[in-house]
Amino acid sequence: MSSSIQAIRAVPSVKRSAVSNDSVKIKQLEGPFDSFEGKWSVKKLNNDTCKIKFYAEFELPFLLNAVVPKSLIEKFSDSIIESFIKKVT
């Protein structure tokens, strides 16, 4: 189980591209996933508040998909969002 966790913690090499002034797309070039694409979008609600959306689509390698529980995948997703929030606050 620990090898699965280490594989998910690996830092992927990604390509970033700005879609507009308020969104960014990322695509994994190499890393722990068979494929990974995501998009961040930020919408200003007022002077003090914004709404951040994160969309990701990824495919785990067959072996990881077979042994990694869904709860661990959700925890990984949550950590991505928390990392982003820490960087912008």
Side-chain angles (χ1 to χ4, degrees):
M1 185 68 150
S2 64
S3 62
S4 300
I5 293 170
Q6 289 173 352
I8 289 180
R9 286 185 182 166
V11 177
S13 169
V14 297
K15 176 183 178 184
R16 291 174 286 217
S17 57
V19 176
S20 65
N21 287 338
D22 61 355
S23 64
V24 175
K25 281 188 176 179
I26 57 173
K27 182 175 183 176
Q28 174 185 278
L29 301 175
E30 36 178 90
F33 301 99
D34 283 347
S35 66
F36 183 98
E37 293 187 28
K39 180 180 176 183
W40 295 98
S41 61
V42 180
K43 180 180 179 182
K44 181 178 177 179
L45 300 177
N46 58 47
N47 286 338
D48 299 323
T49 310
C50 66
K51 181 177 186 176
I52 299 171
K53 290 184 182 180
F54 176 67
Y55 169 80
E57 189 171 308
F58 59 90
E59 185 177 342
L60 291 173
F62 175 76
L63 215 49
L64 278 179
N65 201 27
V67 299
V68 175
K70 187 176 179 178
S71 61
L72 183 59
I73 295 169
E74 290 172 358
K75 185 176 179 180
F76 175 71
S77 300
D78 290 344
S79 72
I80 290 173
I81 294 168
E82 288 173 17
S83 295
F84 180 78
I85 291 169
K86 286 180 185 177
K87 287 189 177 207
V88 297
T89 56

